[in-house]
Amino acid sequence: MSFLERALELAERGRGTTNPNPVVGAVLVRDGEVVGEGWHERKGESHAEANAIAAAGDRARGSTLYVTLEPCAHLGKTPPCVHAIIGAGIARVVAAVRDPSDVARGGVEILRAAGVAVDLGVERQPAIELNAAFFNAHASGRPWVTLKLAVSADGRIADPTGQRRWITGTESRRQVHRLRANSDAIAVGSGTVLADDPSLTVRDVPAPRVPPRRIVFDRTLRTPLDSQLVRTARAVETVVVATPDAPGDRRAQLESAGARVVAATELASALELLRTLGVRSLLVEGGARLAGAMLREALVDRLVIFRSPITLGDEAPGAFDFAPPGFSGFLTAARVIEDERFGSDRMTVYALHEVPCSPD
């Protein structure tokens, strides 16, 4: 493992606790030996670079800092990282990618002006993927959208007999909760609410700093008042997205129960509206109609498929019944970001769009 790969690994430890800040990892190396490591652990607390310097102490002088994101140059809730780097006597910085923020960007120039050697671009692509929603937020007017589908071996997403509530196993479901914990919001369609009555909460994994919002795409406000989402709307923010002409009495009832109802004429404008509400990363969990609509309108950035070894038969609904024609064939040529096994299931993450990122 390279030193920057180790920094990427460390950065993941801050997942779910640094939002809306990016996750960042840092490794200090002197004479080929790691002398300090750190990561951004929680929003408002020390950044990865400062934590690595603190761990290294005097051994930081003359060392090389490997960091997943350009060290910040601005004073926020913590001092600029570039000042800590210069003050510690670090000789060289290897940063994977530049910061896209106009406020924080500029650390490279400050370091070079102070005589610190700076190299850019090592492990750049993994570093961009690490903070895809963060980079997207600086370039797009909609959230970074991840669509998750649990699929049987024969490409089906639900058991029509009702005998199987889950297609995938326990390990896969725990990974889904990790995806939830790393998202600003979790979305389903009204059909899923009516069929499954989900709670869309994070369970069985460390809780994120802020619970993800629950989003229901519900054109005509069919969401039941006694559903888990509405009954807990005062505890966890729940947003129902309807059309402007949805029944006014239903809107009043849902809002009286604590849900927030917003109006949008189409999916693209709904996503833009969610972005204005602070949703930078959206995990869409179903069902087939919502998934198909998102895919048809090219609104999905990452597609996560959990494939189970079970079969459900031709009577079961297909995962891509409402997707664009030939989508399954298109998927075979899509770039694979991750391919991992969870128990007897296989998780594959496909890139449907590239992450927008500032040039180095």
mmCIF file of all heavy atoms in Angstrom, residues 204-256:
data_model
loop_
_atom_site.group_PDB
_atom_site.id
_atom_site.type_symbol
_atom_site.label_atom_id
_atom_site.label_comp_id
_atom_site.label_asym_id
_atom_site.label_seq_id
_atom_site.Cartn_x
_atom_site.Cartn_y
_atom_site.Cartn_z
ATOM 1 N N ASP A 204 -27.679 -0.474 12.748
ATOM 2 C CA ASP A 204 -26.650 -1.535 12.720
ATOM 3 C C ASP A 204 -25.264 -1.055 12.297
ATOM 4 O O ASP A 204 -24.368 -1.878 12.095
ATOM 5 C CB ASP A 204 -27.071 -2.693 11.797
ATOM 6 C CG ASP A 204 -28.395 -3.306 12.229
ATOM 7 O OD1 ASP A 204 -28.637 -3.372 13.447
ATOM 8 O OD2 ASP A 204 -29.177 -3.706 11.349
ATOM 9 N N VAL A 205 -25.075 0.249 12.135
ATOM 10 C CA VAL A 205 -23.767 0.833 11.846
ATOM 11 C C VAL A 205 -23.641 2.107 12.681
ATOM 12 O O VAL A 205 -24.646 2.599 13.197
ATOM 13 C CB VAL A 205 -23.603 1.164 10.341
ATOM 14 C CG1 VAL A 205 -23.682 -0.096 9.492
ATOM 15 C CG2 VAL A 205 -24.623 2.188 9.887
ATOM 16 N N PRO A 206 -22.419 2.651 12.837
ATOM 17 C CA PRO A 206 -22.286 3.890 13.610
ATOM 18 C C PRO A 206 -23.179 5.000 13.056
ATOM 19 O O PRO A 206 -23.247 5.217 11.846
ATOM 20 C CB PRO A 206 -20.798 4.240 13.444
ATOM 21 C CG PRO A 206 -20.136 2.913 13.238
ATOM 22 C CD PRO A 206 -21.102 2.106 12.437
ATOM 23 N N ALA A 207 -23.859 5.685 13.955
ATOM 24 C CA ALA A 207 -24.791 6.738 13.538
ATOM 25 C C ALA A 207 -24.035 7.936 12.969
ATOM 26 O O ALA A 207 -22.982 8.308 13.482
ATOM 27 C CB ALA A 207 -25.644 7.182 14.725
ATOM 28 N N PRO A 208 -24.555 8.541 11.908
ATOM 29 C CA PRO A 208 -23.913 9.744 11.364
ATOM 30 C C PRO A 208 -24.135 10.935 12.288
ATOM 31 O O PRO A 208 -24.978 10.895 13.191
ATOM 32 C CB PRO A 208 -24.638 9.944 10.025
ATOM 33 C CG PRO A 208 -25.981 9.334 10.236
ATOM 34 C CD PRO A 208 -25.762 8.160 11.152
ATOM 35 N N ARG A 209 -23.356 11.997 12.059
ATOM 36 C CA ARG A 209 -23.483 13.204 12.881
ATOM 37 C C ARG A 209 -24.883 13.771 12.791
ATOM 38 O O ARG A 209 -25.462 14.218 13.793
ATOM 39 C CB ARG A 209 -22.453 14.243 12.415
ATOM 40 C CG ARG A 209 -22.354 15.485 13.286
ATOM 41 C CD ARG A 209 -21.311 16.442 12.734
ATOM 42 N NE ARG A 209 -21.702 16.975 11.447
ATOM 43 C CZ ARG A 209 -22.462 18.056 11.289
ATOM 44 N NH1 ARG A 209 -22.935 18.700 12.337
ATOM 45 N NH2 ARG A 209 -22.765 18.491 10.076
ATOM 46 N N VAL A 210 -25.457 13.770 11.592
ATOM 47 C CA VAL A 210 -26.813 14.265 11.370
ATOM 48 C C VAL A 210 -27.601 13.155 10.673
ATOM 49 O O VAL A 210 -27.169 12.660 9.626
ATOM 50 C CB VAL A 210 -26.817 15.536 10.495
ATOM 51 C CG1 VAL A 210 -28.249 16.005 10.244
ATOM 52 C CG2 VAL A 210 -25.996 16.645 11.149
ATOM 53 N N PRO A 211 -28.744 12.733 11.208
ATOM 54 C CA PRO A 211 -29.526 11.687 10.528
ATOM 55 C C PRO A 211 -29.935 12.138 9.131
ATOM 56 O O PRO A 211 -30.332 13.298 8.942
ATOM 57 C CB PRO A 211 -30.761 11.527 11.432
ATOM 58 C CG PRO A 211 -30.359 12.087 12.757
ATOM 59 C CD PRO A 211 -29.378 13.182 12.462
ATOM 60 N N PRO A 212 -29.825 11.267 8.140
ATOM 61 C CA PRO A 212 -30.247 11.663 6.794
ATOM 62 C C PRO A 212 -31.740 11.955 6.737
ATOM 63 O O PRO A 212 -32.543 11.303 7.399
ATOM 64 C CB PRO A 212 -29.878 10.456 5.922
ATOM 65 C CG PRO A 212 -29.739 9.313 6.881
ATOM 66 C CD PRO A 212 -29.306 9.891 8.175
ATOM 67 N N ARG A 213 -32.111 12.953 5.960
ATOM 68 C CA ARG A 213 -33.523 13.244 5.750
ATOM 69 C C ARG A 213 -34.165 12.114 4.961
ATOM 70 O O ARG A 213 -33.490 11.398 4.219
ATOM 71 C CB ARG A 213 -33.681 14.543 4.963
ATOM 72 C CG ARG A 213 -33.015 15.743 5.602
ATOM 73 C CD ARG A 213 -33.228 16.970 4.736
ATOM 74 N NE ARG A 213 -32.301 18.025 5.094
ATOM 75 C CZ ARG A 213 -32.294 19.243 4.552
ATOM 76 N NH1 ARG A 213 -33.194 19.538 3.627
ATOM 77 N NH2 ARG A 213 -31.416 20.149 4.928
ATOM 78 N N ARG A 214 -35.468 11.985 5.096
ATOM 79 C CA ARG A 214 -36.223 11.015 4.288
ATOM 80 C C ARG A 214 -37.003 11.796 3.229
ATOM 81 O O ARG A 214 -37.691 12.771 3.556
ATOM 82 C CB ARG A 214 -37.195 10.214 5.163
ATOM 83 C CG ARG A 214 -36.527 9.204 6.092
ATOM 84 C CD ARG A 214 -36.237 9.777 7.460
ATOM 85 N NE ARG A 214 -37.441 10.259 8.113
ATOM 86 C CZ ARG A 214 -38.230 9.513 8.906
ATOM 87 N NH1 ARG A 214 -37.913 8.268 9.159
ATOM 88 N NH2 ARG A 214 -39.299 10.033 9.498
ATOM 89 N N ILE A 215 -36.884 11.364 1.993
ATOM 90 C CA ILE A 215 -37.559 12.015 0.868
ATOM 91 C C ILE A 215 -38.521 11.016 0.232
ATOM 92 O O ILE A 215 -38.149 9.877 -0.056
ATOM 93 C CB ILE A 215 -36.555 12.488 -0.213
ATOM 94 C CG1 ILE A 215 -35.379 13.250 0.419
ATOM 95 C CG2 ILE A 215 -37.266 13.315 -1.269
ATOM 96 C CD1 ILE A 215 -35.734 14.544 1.079
ATOM 97 N N VAL A 216 -39.760 11.450 -0.001
ATOM 98 C CA VAL A 216 -40.736 10.626 -0.715
ATOM 99 C C VAL A 216 -41.168 11.375 -1.971
ATOM 100 O O VAL A 216 -41.677 12.499 -1.893
ATOM 101 C CB VAL A 216 -41.979 10.329 0.151
ATOM 102 C CG1 VAL A 216 -42.939 9.418 -0.629
ATOM 103 C CG2 VAL A 216 -41.588 9.685 1.474
ATOM 104 N N PHE A 217 -40.938 10.760 -3.122
ATOM 105 C CA PHE A 217 -41.442 11.315 -4.373
ATOM 106 C C PHE A 217 -42.872 10.808 -4.539
ATOM 107 O O PHE A 217 -43.098 9.628 -4.812
ATOM 108 C CB PHE A 217 -40.554 10.907 -5.548
ATOM 109 C CG PHE A 217 -39.208 11.577 -5.536
ATOM 110 C CD1 PHE A 217 -38.096 10.947 -4.990
ATOM 111 C CD2 PHE A 217 -39.062 12.851 -6.057
ATOM 112 C CE1 PHE A 217 -36.861 11.570 -4.972
ATOM 113 C CE2 PHE A 217 -37.829 13.485 -6.053
ATOM 114 C CZ PHE A 217 -36.727 12.842 -5.499
ATOM 115 N N ASP A 218 -43.823 11.699 -4.338
ATOM 116 C CA ASP A 218 -45.229 11.315 -4.246
ATOM 117 C C ASP A 218 -46.079 12.374 -4.954
ATOM 118 O O ASP A 218 -46.530 13.339 -4.349
ATOM 119 C CB ASP A 218 -45.608 11.205 -2.764
ATOM 120 C CG ASP A 218 -47.041 10.740 -2.546
ATOM 121 O OD1 ASP A 218 -47.746 10.490 -3.541
ATOM 122 O OD2 ASP A 218 -47.446 10.634 -1.372
ATOM 123 N N ARG A 219 -46.311 12.189 -6.228
ATOM 124 C CA ARG A 219 -46.944 13.209 -7.053
ATOM 125 C C ARG A 219 -48.300 13.642 -6.518
ATOM 126 O O ARG A 219 -48.632 14.823 -6.492
ATOM 127 C CB ARG A 219 -47.098 12.695 -8.486
ATOM 128 C CG ARG A 219 -45.786 12.438 -9.203
ATOM 129 C CD ARG A 219 -46.012 11.796 -10.567
ATOM 130 N NE ARG A 219 -46.830 12.624 -11.422
ATOM 131 C CZ ARG A 219 -46.370 13.613 -12.177
ATOM 132 N NH1 ARG A 219 -45.073 13.896 -12.182
ATOM 133 N NH2 ARG A 219 -47.180 14.327 -12.932
ATOM 134 N N THR A 220 -49.094 12.687 -6.068
ATOM 135 C CA THR A 220 -50.470 13.000 -5.659
ATOM 136 C C THR A 220 -50.697 12.881 -4.152
ATOM 137 O O THR A 220 -51.833 12.848 -3.696
ATOM 138 C CB THR A 220 -51.461 12.083 -6.409
ATOM 139 O OG1 THR A 220 -51.146 10.718 -6.108
ATOM 140 C CG2 THR A 220 -51.379 12.307 -7.909
ATOM 141 N N LEU A 221 -49.613 12.785 -3.386
ATOM 142 C CA LEU A 221 -49.689 12.738 -1.918
ATOM 143 C C LEU A 221 -50.486 11.537 -1.418
ATOM 144 O O LEU A 221 -51.408 11.654 -0.611
ATOM 145 C CB LEU A 221 -50.266 14.053 -1.369
ATOM 146 C CG LEU A 221 -49.428 15.312 -1.674
ATOM 147 C CD1 LEU A 221 -50.091 16.548 -1.097
ATOM 148 C CD2 LEU A 221 -48.016 15.152 -1.112
ATOM 149 N N ARG A 222 -50.066 10.350 -1.881
ATOM 150 C CA ARG A 222 -50.693 9.109 -1.440
ATOM 151 C C ARG A 222 -50.111 8.590 -0.128
ATOM 152 O O ARG A 222 -50.643 7.641 0.443
ATOM 153 C CB ARG A 222 -50.517 8.024 -2.512
ATOM 154 C CG ARG A 222 -51.127 8.365 -3.872
ATOM 155 C CD ARG A 222 -51.059 7.139 -4.774
ATOM 156 N NE ARG A 222 -49.694 6.699 -5.020
ATOM 157 C CZ ARG A 222 -49.365 5.485 -5.446
ATOM 158 N NH1 ARG A 222 -50.309 4.565 -5.633
ATOM 159 N NH2 ARG A 222 -48.104 5.160 -5.675
ATOM 160 N N THR A 223 -49.015 9.168 0.325
ATOM 161 C CA THR A 223 -48.344 8.677 1.526
ATOM 162 C C THR A 223 -49.305 8.650 2.713
ATOM 163 O O THR A 223 -49.867 9.686 3.090
ATOM 164 C CB THR A 223 -47.134 9.573 1.863
ATOM 165 O OG1 THR A 223 -46.207 9.544 0.769
ATOM 166 C CG2 THR A 223 -46.432 9.101 3.125
ATOM 167 N N PRO A 224 -49.506 7.478 3.330
ATOM 168 C CA PRO A 224 -50.470 7.375 4.442
ATOM 169 C C PRO A 224 -50.024 8.170 5.669
ATOM 170 O O PRO A 224 -48.835 8.221 5.991
ATOM 171 C CB PRO A 224 -50.498 5.873 4.743
ATOM 172 C CG PRO A 224 -49.982 5.208 3.505
ATOM 173 C CD PRO A 224 -48.979 6.147 2.943
ATOM 174 N N LEU A 225 -50.988 8.733 6.354
ATOM 175 C CA LEU A 225 -50.686 9.487 7.572
ATOM 176 C C LEU A 225 -50.182 8.573 8.679
ATOM 177 O O LEU A 225 -49.473 9.033 9.591
ATOM 178 C CB LEU A 225 -51.928 10.244 8.039
ATOM 179 C CG LEU A 225 -52.460 11.313 7.080
ATOM 180 C CD1 LEU A 225 -53.734 11.937 7.647
ATOM 181 C CD2 LEU A 225 -51.404 12.378 6.825
ATOM 182 N N ASP A 226 -50.544 7.278 8.625
ATOM 183 C CA ASP A 226 -50.082 6.357 9.657
ATOM 184 C C ASP A 226 -48.835 5.588 9.241
ATOM 185 O O ASP A 226 -48.433 4.634 9.908
ATOM 186 C CB ASP A 226 -51.187 5.382 10.041
ATOM 187 C CG ASP A 226 -51.634 4.494 8.883
ATOM 188 O OD1 ASP A 226 -51.187 4.748 7.735
ATOM 189 O OD2 ASP A 226 -52.432 3.560 9.118
ATOM 190 N N SER A 227 -48.184 6.002 8.140
ATOM 191 C CA SER A 227 -46.937 5.363 7.735
ATOM 192 C C SER A 227 -45.830 5.707 8.727
ATOM 193 O O SER A 227 -45.893 6.717 9.435
ATOM 194 C CB SER A 227 -46.533 5.833 6.324
ATOM 195 O OG SER A 227 -46.260 7.222 6.330
ATOM 196 N N GLN A 228 -44.806 4.870 8.771
ATOM 197 C CA GLN A 228 -43.693 5.124 9.687
ATOM 198 C C GLN A 228 -43.034 6.470 9.398
ATOM 199 O O GLN A 228 -42.641 7.186 10.329
ATOM 200 C CB GLN A 228 -42.642 4.015 9.576
ATOM 201 C CG GLN A 228 -43.089 2.671 10.109
ATOM 202 C CD GLN A 228 -41.912 1.739 10.302
ATOM 203 O OE1 GLN A 228 -41.101 1.910 11.208
ATOM 204 N NE2 GLN A 228 -41.802 0.751 9.414
ATOM 205 N N LEU A 229 -42.932 6.830 8.136
ATOM 206 C CA LEU A 229 -42.270 8.085 7.778
ATOM 207 C C LEU A 229 -43.021 9.286 8.325
ATOM 208 O O LEU A 229 -42.417 10.223 8.858
ATOM 209 C CB LEU A 229 -42.141 8.187 6.256
ATOM 210 C CG LEU A 229 -41.218 7.166 5.583
ATOM 211 C CD1 LEU A 229 -41.244 7.337 4.076
ATOM 212 C CD2 LEU A 229 -39.799 7.302 6.103
ATOM 213 N N VAL A 230 -44.327 9.284 8.205
ATOM 214 C CA VAL A 230 -45.114 10.427 8.677
ATOM 215 C C VAL A 230 -45.202 10.420 10.202
ATOM 216 O O VAL A 230 -45.082 11.481 10.847
ATOM 217 C CB VAL A 230 -46.520 10.418 8.041
ATOM 218 C CG1 VAL A 230 -47.361 11.562 8.601
ATOM 219 C CG2 VAL A 230 -46.413 10.539 6.517
ATOM 220 N N ARG A 231 -45.367 9.246 10.793
ATOM 221 C CA ARG A 231 -45.485 9.184 12.258
ATOM 222 C C ARG A 231 -44.221 9.642 12.970
ATOM 223 O O ARG A 231 -44.270 10.100 14.113
ATOM 224 C CB ARG A 231 -45.839 7.760 12.694
ATOM 225 C CG ARG A 231 -47.295 7.384 12.398
ATOM 226 C CD ARG A 231 -47.697 6.074 13.059
ATOM 227 N NE ARG A 231 -47.082 4.920 12.422
ATOM 228 C CZ ARG A 231 -46.105 4.196 12.943
ATOM 229 N NH1 ARG A 231 -45.601 4.523 14.136
ATOM 230 N NH2 ARG A 231 -45.627 3.143 12.302
ATOM 231 N N THR A 232 -43.064 9.536 12.293
ATOM 232 C CA THR A 232 -41.796 9.948 12.905
ATOM 233 C C THR A 232 -41.233 11.217 12.281
ATOM 234 O O THR A 232 -40.065 11.554 12.473
ATOM 235 C CB THR A 232 -40.755 8.820 12.770
ATOM 236 O OG1 THR A 232 -40.554 8.525 11.371
ATOM 237 C CG2 THR A 232 -41.213 7.558 13.474
ATOM 238 N N ALA A 233 -42.059 11.940 11.527
ATOM 239 C CA ALA A 233 -41.577 13.108 10.787
ATOM 240 C C ALA A 233 -41.073 14.226 11.694
ATOM 241 O O ALA A 233 -40.245 15.038 11.284
ATOM 242 C CB ALA A 233 -42.677 13.631 9.865
ATOM 243 N N ARG A 234 -41.578 14.307 12.907
ATOM 244 C CA ARG A 234 -41.099 15.352 13.817
ATOM 245 C C ARG A 234 -39.742 14.991 14.413
ATOM 246 O O ARG A 234 -39.011 15.873 14.872
ATOM 247 C CB ARG A 234 -42.120 15.594 14.936
ATOM 248 C CG ARG A 234 -43.469 16.091 14.427
ATOM 249 C CD ARG A 234 -44.359 16.592 15.553
ATOM 250 N NE ARG A 234 -45.716 16.826 15.076
ATOM 251 C CZ ARG A 234 -46.084 17.918 14.409
ATOM 252 N NH1 ARG A 234 -45.204 18.857 14.132
ATOM 253 N NH2 ARG A 234 -47.345 18.049 14.010
ATOM 254 N N ALA A 235 -39.399 13.701 14.404
ATOM 255 C CA ALA A 235 -38.112 13.258 14.942
ATOM 256 C C ALA A 235 -37.009 13.287 13.881
ATOM 257 O O ALA A 235 -35.857 13.654 14.168
ATOM 258 C CB ALA A 235 -38.242 11.852 15.520
ATOM 259 N N VAL A 236 -37.338 12.892 12.667
ATOM 260 C CA VAL A 236 -36.387 12.899 11.552
ATOM 261 C C VAL A 236 -37.059 13.609 10.383
ATOM 262 O O VAL A 236 -38.157 13.212 9.963
ATOM 263 C CB VAL A 236 -35.980 11.472 11.138
ATOM 264 C CG1 VAL A 236 -34.984 11.530 9.982
ATOM 265 C CG2 VAL A 236 -35.397 10.709 12.315
ATOM 266 N N GLU A 237 -36.401 14.630 9.867
ATOM 267 C CA GLU A 237 -37.029 15.448 8.822
ATOM 268 C C GLU A 237 -37.470 14.588 7.638
ATOM 269 O O GLU A 237 -36.706 13.770 7.118
ATOM 270 C CB GLU A 237 -36.067 16.529 8.338
ATOM 271 C CG GLU A 237 -36.699 17.472 7.343
ATOM 272 C CD GLU A 237 -35.798 18.626 6.953
ATOM 273 O OE1 GLU A 237 -34.686 18.732 7.506
ATOM 274 O OE2 GLU A 237 -36.218 19.420 6.083
ATOM 275 N N THR A 238 -38.699 14.779 7.243
ATOM 276 C CA THR A 238 -39.293 14.030 6.135
ATOM 277 C C THR A 238 -39.874 15.010 5.130
ATOM 278 O O THR A 238 -40.695 15.855 5.483
ATOM 279 C CB THR A 238 -40.399 13.088 6.646
ATOM 280 O OG1 THR A 238 -39.837 12.199 7.623
ATOM 281 C CG2 THR A 238 -41.003 12.286 5.513
ATOM 282 N N VAL A 239 -39.425 14.901 3.892
ATOM 283 C CA VAL A 239 -39.860 15.801 2.826
ATOM 284 C C VAL A 239 -40.631 14.999 1.791
ATOM 285 O O VAL A 239 -40.140 13.974 1.288
ATOM 286 C CB VAL A 239 -38.659 16.500 2.152
ATOM 287 C CG1 VAL A 239 -39.135 17.431 1.036
ATOM 288 C CG2 VAL A 239 -37.840 17.276 3.179
ATOM 289 N N VAL A 240 -41.836 15.436 1.475
ATOM 290 C CA VAL A 240 -42.653 14.798 0.455
ATOM 291 C C VAL A 240 -42.692 15.712 -0.765
ATOM 292 O O VAL A 240 -43.075 16.886 -0.658
ATOM 293 C CB VAL A 240 -44.083 14.530 0.966
ATOM 294 C CG1 VAL A 240 -44.897 13.804 -0.094
ATOM 295 C CG2 VAL A 240 -44.040 13.716 2.256
ATOM 296 N N VAL A 241 -42.273 15.178 -1.902
ATOM 297 C CA VAL A 241 -42.221 15.966 -3.140
ATOM 298 C C VAL A 241 -43.444 15.622 -3.977
ATOM 299 O O VAL A 241 -43.612 14.475 -4.423
ATOM 300 C CB VAL A 241 -40.938 15.683 -3.940
ATOM 301 C CG1 VAL A 241 -40.883 16.575 -5.176
ATOM 302 C CG2 VAL A 241 -39.699 15.897 -3.068
ATOM 303 N N ALA A 242 -44.305 16.603 -4.204
ATOM 304 C CA ALA A 242 -45.547 16.408 -4.960
ATOM 305 C C ALA A 242 -45.558 17.341 -6.164
ATOM 306 O O ALA A 242 -44.663 18.173 -6.344
ATOM 307 C CB ALA A 242 -46.747 16.682 -4.058
ATOM 308 N N THR A 243 -46.590 17.214 -6.985
ATOM 309 C CA THR A 243 -46.782 18.170 -8.073
ATOM 310 C C THR A 243 -47.527 19.391 -7.525
ATOM 311 O O THR A 243 -48.182 19.319 -6.484
ATOM 312 C CB THR A 243 -47.594 17.546 -9.208
ATOM 313 O OG1 THR A 243 -48.837 17.075 -8.686
ATOM 314 C CG2 THR A 243 -46.830 16.386 -9.841
ATOM 315 N N PRO A 244 -47.435 20.535 -8.212
ATOM 316 C CA PRO A 244 -48.105 21.737 -7.710
ATOM 317 C C PRO A 244 -49.612 21.582 -7.550
ATOM 318 O O PRO A 244 -50.221 22.270 -6.723
ATOM 319 C CB PRO A 244 -47.764 22.789 -8.771
ATOM 320 C CG PRO A 244 -46.486 22.313 -9.391
ATOM 321 C CD PRO A 244 -46.596 20.821 -9.400
ATOM 322 N N ASP A 245 -50.229 20.683 -8.333
ATOM 323 C CA ASP A 245 -51.686 20.527 -8.254
ATOM 324 C C ASP A 245 -52.121 19.358 -7.362
ATOM 325 O O ASP A 245 -53.265 18.902 -7.423
ATOM 326 C CB ASP A 245 -52.282 20.350 -9.652
ATOM 327 C CG ASP A 245 -51.705 19.151 -10.387
ATOM 328 O OD1 ASP A 245 -50.745 18.532 -9.865
ATOM 329 O OD2 ASP A 245 -52.197 18.828 -11.482
ATOM 330 N N ALA A 246 -51.230 18.880 -6.493
ATOM 331 C CA ALA A 246 -51.593 17.807 -5.566
ATOM 332 C C ALA A 246 -52.681 18.295 -4.615
ATOM 333 O O ALA A 246 -52.780 19.491 -4.330
ATOM 334 C CB ALA A 246 -50.365 17.367 -4.785
ATOM 335 N N PRO A 247 -53.521 17.389 -4.108
ATOM 336 C CA PRO A 247 -54.653 17.797 -3.260
ATOM 337 C C PRO A 247 -54.221 18.630 -2.054
ATOM 338 O O PRO A 247 -53.368 18.214 -1.263
ATOM 339 C CB PRO A 247 -55.245 16.454 -2.811
ATOM 340 C CG PRO A 247 -54.847 15.484 -3.875
ATOM 341 C CD PRO A 247 -53.502 15.929 -4.337
ATOM 342 N N GLY A 248 -54.840 19.789 -1.917
ATOM 343 C CA GLY A 248 -54.490 20.695 -0.837
ATOM 344 C C GLY A 248 -54.805 20.148 0.536
ATOM 345 O O GLY A 248 -54.070 20.409 1.503
ATOM 346 N N ASP A 249 -55.889 19.371 0.657
ATOM 347 C CA ASP A 249 -56.236 18.827 1.970
ATOM 348 C C ASP A 249 -55.218 17.794 2.424
ATOM 349 O O ASP A 249 -54.862 17.732 3.613
ATOM 350 C CB ASP A 249 -57.638 18.227 1.946
ATOM 351 C CG ASP A 249 -57.801 17.119 0.910
ATOM 352 O OD1 ASP A 249 -57.005 17.082 -0.055
ATOM 353 O OD2 ASP A 249 -58.714 16.287 1.074
ATOM 354 N N ARG A 250 -54.709 16.992 1.477
ATOM 355 C CA ARG A 250 -53.682 16.017 1.821
ATOM 356 C C ARG A 250 -52.395 16.718 2.240
ATOM 357 O O ARG A 250 -51.722 16.309 3.187
ATOM 358 C CB ARG A 250 -53.401 15.099 0.626
ATOM 359 C CG ARG A 250 -54.515 14.138 0.317
ATOM 360 C CD ARG A 250 -54.655 13.094 1.412
ATOM 361 N NE ARG A 250 -53.450 12.274 1.554
ATOM 362 C CZ ARG A 250 -53.211 11.487 2.591
ATOM 363 N NH1 ARG A 250 -54.071 11.444 3.599
ATOM 364 N NH2 ARG A 250 -52.119 10.756 2.656
ATOM 365 N N ARG A 251 -52.065 17.785 1.541
ATOM 366 C CA ARG A 251 -50.863 18.547 1.913
ATOM 367 C C ARG A 251 -51.009 19.065 3.343
ATOM 368 O O ARG A 251 -50.075 18.951 4.148
ATOM 369 C CB ARG A 251 -50.659 19.706 0.937
ATOM 370 C CG ARG A 251 -49.501 20.605 1.315
ATOM 371 C CD ARG A 251 -49.228 21.693 0.298
ATOM 372 N NE ARG A 251 -48.028 22.426 0.675
ATOM 373 C CZ ARG A 251 -47.093 22.823 -0.161
ATOM 374 N NH1 ARG A 251 -47.207 22.543 -1.450
ATOM 375 N NH2 ARG A 251 -46.037 23.488 0.269
ATOM 376 N N ALA A 252 -52.152 19.648 3.662
ATOM 377 C CA ALA A 252 -52.375 20.195 5.003
ATOM 378 C C ALA A 252 -52.271 19.105 6.064
ATOM 379 O O ALA A 252 -51.706 19.325 7.147
ATOM 380 C CB ALA A 252 -53.726 20.883 5.067
ATOM 381 N N GLN A 253 -52.787 17.919 5.775
ATOM 382 C CA GLN A 253 -52.745 16.820 6.737
ATOM 383 C C GLN A 253 -51.310 16.346 6.981
ATOM 384 O O GLN A 253 -50.906 16.116 8.136
ATOM 385 C CB GLN A 253 -53.609 15.662 6.245
ATOM 386 C CG GLN A 253 -55.101 15.938 6.281
ATOM 387 C CD GLN A 253 -55.899 14.849 5.585
ATOM 388 O OE1 GLN A 253 -55.393 14.123 4.727
ATOM 389 N NE2 GLN A 253 -57.173 14.732 5.945
ATOM 390 N N LEU A 254 -50.551 16.220 5.904
ATOM 391 C CA LEU A 254 -49.170 15.777 6.043
ATOM 392 C C LEU A 254 -48.334 16.818 6.797
ATOM 393 O O LEU A 254 -47.528 16.470 7.672
ATOM 394 C CB LEU A 254 -48.560 15.506 4.666
ATOM 395 C CG LEU A 254 -49.052 14.246 3.952
ATOM 396 C CD1 LEU A 254 -48.639 14.255 2.487
ATOM 397 C CD2 LEU A 254 -48.520 12.995 4.647
ATOM 398 N N GLU A 255 -48.547 18.075 6.476
ATOM 399 C CA GLU A 255 -47.792 19.129 7.163
ATOM 400 C C GLU A 255 -48.198 19.227 8.625
ATOM 401 O O GLU A 255 -47.349 19.478 9.501
ATOM 402 C CB GLU A 255 -47.994 20.455 6.441
ATOM 403 C CG GLU A 255 -47.311 20.495 5.081
ATOM 404 C CD GLU A 255 -47.529 21.798 4.342
ATOM 405 O OE1 GLU A 255 -48.561 22.468 4.599
ATOM 406 O OE2 GLU A 255 -46.667 22.153 3.504
ATOM 407 N N SER A 256 -49.450 19.007 8.921
ATOM 408 C CA SER A 256 -49.913 19.023 10.302
ATOM 409 C C SER A 256 -49.271 17.896 11.107
ATOM 410 O O SER A 256 -49.042 18.029 12.316
ATOM 411 C CB SER A 256 -51.439 18.885 10.350
ATOM 412 O OG SER A 256 -51.912 18.880 11.677
#
